Amino acid sequence: MIKTENAKPARANIKRYFTAQRIVTFGVLAALGYAISLLSFPLFPGSPVSFLKLDFSNVTTLLAAYMLGPVSATIIEAVKQGLSVLTSLTFGVGELANFLITFCFFIVPAVLYKKRKGIKSVILGMAIACVLQIVAGLVVNKFITFPAYGVAFGMDAETVDALYSVGWPFLIAFNAIKGVSVCIVTLLLYKRLSRAMKWIFRDRKKKTAEQDAGGADNTSKSFANHDKEVYNINMQKTITRNEDETKELARKIASGFTGGEVVLLSGDLGAGKTVFAKGVAEALGVKADVKSPTFTLSCEYEGDKLRLIHIDAYRLKNGEEAEACGLNERFGDKHCVCLIEWPSQIESVLPEHRTEVDIVRTGDSEREITIKQC
Ligand code: ADP
Ligand code: MG
């Protein structure tokens, strides 16, 4: 399998992770979450648990969990709770409890969505999130919030227990209402915001990949000048001067494939995506003639060791449609290589580990091909 260098020192990775852009995004989302948390209202006023206040600040955390991943969401939630501590009347106990409960809420959807994009994984993640939040709410209140409340108001253990035995059904109802309403608002906001976030972070990813490819060396190289033995897949712009050179480049890339690769082929109509697909097919030992599967959406070919799945997403409106056709089921399948033309149409169901191939027409028979391993 063609791979970029993996063994980067941890410190370099951390430094790379905390870019100025990321820090600003974390700060903005944490501050936004904190501001929203101020707009809270008691859900059961007049009850023994009138301190349970509903707010929608977890929407920002859940959105961050989907768009930026579990680590980013944890940092954002921690900063948000950190901001709350500054104005807290509970010396941080309430914030610690909130952090733990919220962590249980977003962690499963974040991890699930990172592994598998698509509406099914979102719905499953949210269902698990709501259940976990209810359980975490019971546990955290029993062992942290209620005892702390007892200490603050000078109650003995029995009084605290009695209070909890009255309060726990309210806790279940509270966390169920909170979980479901936060999930609904997140679902309503996600689509619009994710486009903006992807746009911000795509730009950043591009730059990082270019730096990885050798810093200043951003110029396109002629295909003919390429080292025949080692092809640097990391981030390389290559000029091909005819169809055969494009196929040859594709063959070189695919010669390292071991199964499970997903290759995204982007470029305008006639750019050469299908030509590239033919090169990949040749490398895999496919005997059949590979054509653009525009009308069939997907074609499957038998190679020597691996199967080739060739998808054309041009006619699909979104990832849900791709899912409905079962097109995403083979992504990552160790027995297959998946090639996807017009991948931007179905971005939401695409895996994160992929090879991105961008083909730009720079002349009648000249193409600039950028290959990036993600
Ligand atoms: P797409 O699938 O991107 O719509 P195709 O691969 O079907 O495009 O068609 C690309 C067309 O461009 C073919 O007719 C091919 O002969 C032509 N072509 C000219 N120069 C090149 C090149 N350098 N690489 C790939 N295709 C080229
Ligand atoms: Mg095509």
Side-chain angles (χ1 to χ4, degrees), residues 142-169:
K142 168 108 184 123
F143 295 104
I144 299 179
T145 321
F146 276 66
Y149 193 68
V151 171
F153 290 94
M155 297 173 187
D156 57 28
E158 268 172 32
T159 317
V160 172
D161 281 349
L163 188 62
Y164 185 81
S165 61
V166 178
W168 69 262

Side-chain angles (χ1 to χ4, degrees), residues 91-317:
F91 300 104
V93 177
E95 286 68 30
L96 174 68
N98 277 341
F99 175 80
L100 292 174
I101 297 170
T102 308
F103 181 80
C104 293
F105 177 66
F106 71 72
I107 195 67
V108 172
V111 173
L112 262 184
Y113 190 70
K114 199 173 163 133
K115 288 204 157 68
R116 202 181 153 95
K117 307 274 184 275
I119 193 71
K120 269 188 213 155
S121 101
V122 169
I123 301 291
L124 178 68
M126 285 184 167
I128 298 173
C130 290
V131 174
L132 277 184
Q133 174 160 275
I134 293 169
V135 176
L138 288 173
V139 174
V140 167
N141 275 286
K142 168 108 184 123
F143 295 104
I144 299 179
T145 321
F146 276 66
Y149 193 68
V151 171
F153 290 94
M155 297 173 187
D156 57 28
E158 268 172 32
T159 317
V160 172
D161 281 349
L163 188 62
Y164 185 81
S165 61
V166 178
W168 69 262
F170 288 101
L171 284 173
I172 293 180
F174 174 80
N175 280 311
I177 294 169
K178 184 171 175 176
V180 171
S181 51
V182 164
C183 287
I184 291 172
V185 176
T186 305
L187 274 176
L188 294 176
L189 289 176
Y190 177 76
K191 266 263 137 68
R192 283 153 205 274
L193 286 176
S194 74
R195 282 201 195 117
M197 293 302 267
K198 259 182 209 147
W199 184 78
I200 294 170
F201 281 94
R202 176 171 295 175
D203 193 40
R204 166 73 212 160
K205 266 190 193 165
K206 230 183 229 169
K207 280 186 203 146
T208 316
E210 276 166 14
Q211 281 159 9
D212 282 355
D217 185 19
N218 285 335
T219 48
S220 304
K221 288 187 177 161
S222 163
F223 178 71
N225 293 340
H226 259 303
D227 185 330
K228 290 266 187 294
E229 303 296 319
V230 184
Y231 181 77
N232 177 9
I233 194 175
N234 219 353
M235 171 78 176
Q236 188 78 58
K237 283 188 173 142
T238 304
I239 299 287
T240 63
R241 292 162 306 184
N242 53 51
E243 186 178 331
D244 287 341
E245 284 193 356
T246 298
K247 271 196 216 162
E248 174 61 16
L249 174 63
R251 274 200 295 273
K252 275 178 184 266
I253 303 297
S255 61
F257 285 176
T258 55
E261 288 80 6
V262 175
V263 182
L264 310 185
L265 297 168
S266 305
D268 291 339
L269 208 64
K273 300 181 289 298
T274 303
V275 167
F276 195 95
K278 284 175 195 273
V280 172
E282 281 171 24
L284 299 183
V286 172
K287 302 282 180 303
D289 185 22
V290 169
K291 295 201 176 85
S292 236
T294 310
F295 295 101
T296 50
L297 292 180
S298 159
C299 275
E300 198 166 330
Y301 304 92
E302 190 78 59
D304 288 336
K305 291 192 191 117
L306 299 169
R307 296 181 74 77
L308 176 68
I309 318 267
H310 186 195
I311 294 169
D312 188 332
Y314 186 71
R315 294 191 323 134
L316 295 173
K317 283 200 202 76

Side-chain angles (χ1 to χ4, degrees), residues 63-76:
L63 280 170
Y66 282 125
M67 289 188 278
L68 308 173
V71 177
S72 303
T74 308
I75 296 169
I76 289 166

